[in-house]
Amino acid sequence: MPSLFDPIQVGALRLPNRIVMAPLTRNRAPGAIPTAMMAEYYAQRASAGLLITEATAISAQAQGYADVPGLYGTEQLDGWKKITAAVHAAGGRIVVQLWHVGRISHVDLQENGQKPVAPSAIGAKAKTYLVKDGVGSFASTSEPRALQTHELPGIVHTYRHAARNAMSSAGFDGVEVHAANGYLLDQFLKSGANHRRDDYGGSIENRARLLLEVVRAITEEIGGEHTGIRLSPVTPANDIHEPDPQPLFEYVVRELAPLKLAYVHIIEGATGGARELSDRPFDYGALKDAYRAAGGKGAWMVNNGYDGESAERALQGEADLVAFGRLFLANPDLVHRLRDKAPLNTPDKATFYGGGAKGYTDYPALSR
Ligand code: 8OZ
């Protein structure tokens, strides 16, 4: 049986261990431009088997929070290029998480104060984060407008274009499609947010259509071996709801199977919260079985609240890879600490979102 410290092939990448840094929004990219401090932060964590960047907007319309990075302008791509170079120089591997927030946005973050876009004109009871004159505050998300059917090929193209730029201009080793946590692709998947009457709403096949078009376009562009996906079947994050997730997600992974993805990344339970939800049971083993039965060979990555011990147990079961969020945030040398069963730094919630080096690049590594 493998341990966290055994190497593994994941698509085109050879990982030296099975410990992944989960995507973590940190709101430290003013004007959506990645910074030198971000390069230091990611390079400090380069001993991870794989680094997944914080969610990164694929267009101006895809932005939903102040100071999250983008991947659509030259300055943004140049900023990321310095980050990927720093990670590679430190011996690491890094993929970028491609993000469109859909309705989880605010008119103040949209070009010309337009409404955010969504599958349907249904607002989310959720908060976003704005910065005005240097002062940050939480604000309710704005009422969205429904995307018209003829706009959807443009959304697919935007993902394709971002994936191409991620590889050829920004120097990433791959991309992760963010289809989780109540953002655009999850909004299309789940019937609480998708009341469409065209080919992109109603049946499971229709609700999964946009996601599958996006992933097919990306894999055509950069290859499945450079592509991963993140799904959260039951999370209530961002006011998202689906009464019958099991058949929906089994359909999704069966359709993903032929695309030869590098990995499938599953958030178990409520994002950053309870792993088991009594009102939303879900059989993750059956999900993986559906993927494998359909010929899916991608690595199976699990996430949510793992520590070293529960991660080792997961590797004895369904998992090939385990993604750690808060523990990696607070422990740049998490791999070494888990191997040595050393004490861990405690994450400081007050500095998760926004700010400077404090609670970002100043968590100490153990001296070795
Ligand atoms: C925390 C704050 C803002 C965004 C996600 C991208 O949940 C996020 C996110 C997390 O996927």
Side-chain angles (χ1 to χ4, degrees):
M1 278 293 185
S3 94
L4 286 172
F5 310 99
D6 289 326
I8 182 173
Q9 189 72 29
V10 175
L13 296 175
R14 184 79 184 163
L15 312 190
N17 61 65
R18 297 164 188 233
I19 298 170
V20 175
M21 181 175 165
L24 294 164
T25 290
R26 304 304 308 274
N27 306 75
R28 282 169 170 84
I33 302 181
T35 66
M37 193 167 62
M38 288 166 60
E40 185 186 349
Y41 163 77
Y42 284 110
Q44 285 173 341
R45 288 159 179 74
S47 56
L50 183 66
L51 299 170
I52 305 170
T53 71
E54 61 209 276
T56 299
I58 58 169
S59 65
Q61 184 192 68
Q63 288 280 8
Y65 303 82
D67 299 344
V68 297
L71 188 71
Y72 47 92
T74 313
E75 265 188 287
Q76 296 167 348
L77 292 166
D78 288 347
W80 279 121
K81 195 171 183 170
K82 295 188 187 114
I83 295 172
T84 60
V87 167
H88 292 150
R93 297 138 298 279
I94 183 165
V95 301
V96 62
Q97 196 192 42
L98 301 183
W99 193 28
H100 192 310
V101 296
R103 66 180 182 167
I104 307 301
S105 187
H106 192 279
V107 289
D108 287 2
L109 296 163
Q110 294 289 315
E111 277 177 333
N112 307 317
Q114 295 172 83
K115 287 184 169 182
V117 298
S120 302
I122 304 169
K125 289 180 194 63
K127 297 276 184 215
T128 180
Y129 178 74
L130 305 176
V131 175
K132 254 187 197 160
D133 304 323
V135 183
S137 63
F138 291 93
S140 296
T141 52
S142 303
E143 286 299 308
R145 73 171 177 87
L147 283 159
Q148 296 183 37
T149 310
H150 71 79
E151 292 178 280
L152 298 179
I155 300 272
V156 175
H157 177 80
T158 306
Y159 275 97
R160 177 195 285 269
H161 188 69
R164 184 195 309 143
N165 279 338
M167 299 299 289
S168 59
S169 303
F172 282 105
D173 299 304
V175 307
E176 173 176 290
V177 178
H178 191 347
N181 295 345
Y183 296 109
L184 183 72
L185 297 173
D186 204 25
Q187 290 159 29
F188 268 84
L189 285 176
K190 293 179 179 165
S191 47
N194 183 345
H195 293 192
R196 298 179 72 90
R197 303 170 69 93
D198 64 0
D199 287 349
Y200 293 83
S203 65
I204 283 175
E205 290 78 0
N206 281 358
R207 283 182 277 131
R209 192 176 309 281
L210 182 66
L211 168 64
L212 294 171
E213 287 180 356
V214 163
V215 183
R216 287 187 194 116
I218 291 172
T219 57
E220 254 173 53
E221 197 65 36
I222 66 169
E225 72 277 16
H226 296 290
T227 308
I229 188 166
R230 195 177 209 211
L231 302 168
S232 56
V234 298
T235 192
N238 289 312
D239 196 25
I240 200 72
H241 189 73
E242 167 54 43
D244 201 9
Q246 195 78 41
L248 169 65
F249 281 89
E250 289 185 14
Y251 173 79
V252 167
V253 297
R254 278 199 304 274
E255 292 295 309
L256 292 173
L259 303 181
K260 301 192 163 56
L261 298 181
Y263 68 82
V264 178
H265 180 180
I266 304 292
I267 301 171
E268 298 160 328
T271 312
R275 293 179 44 79
E276 304 281 347
L277 302 173
S278 52
D279 59 328
R280 304 183 190 208
F282 194 84
D283 185 342
Y284 296 98
L287 183 68
K288 186 186 176 197
D289 289 347
Y291 180 61
R292 291 282 185 252
K297 296 196 167 53
W300 198 256
M301 186 190 299
V302 298
N303 170 247
N304 206 10
Y306 283 95
D307 61 15
E309 266 181 39
S310 57
E312 288 288 4
R313 277 200 303 279
L315 289 188
Q316 312 310 312
E318 310 288 349
D320 301 311
L321 298 166
V322 181
F324 297 85
R326 279 163 291 188
L327 290 187
F328 234 126
L329 181 155
N331 294 277
D333 55 346
L334 183 65
V335 174
H336 302 121
R337 290 184 194 236
L338 291 180
R339 184 183 286 137
D340 296 351
K341 299 198 166 43
L344 299 175
N345 300 323
T346 307
D348 168 28
K349 280 197 178 135
T351 50
F352 279 5
Y353 307 113
K358 185 171 179 297
Y360 192 54
T361 48
D362 66 349
Y363 284 105
L366 292 172
S367 53
R368 332 200 307 109

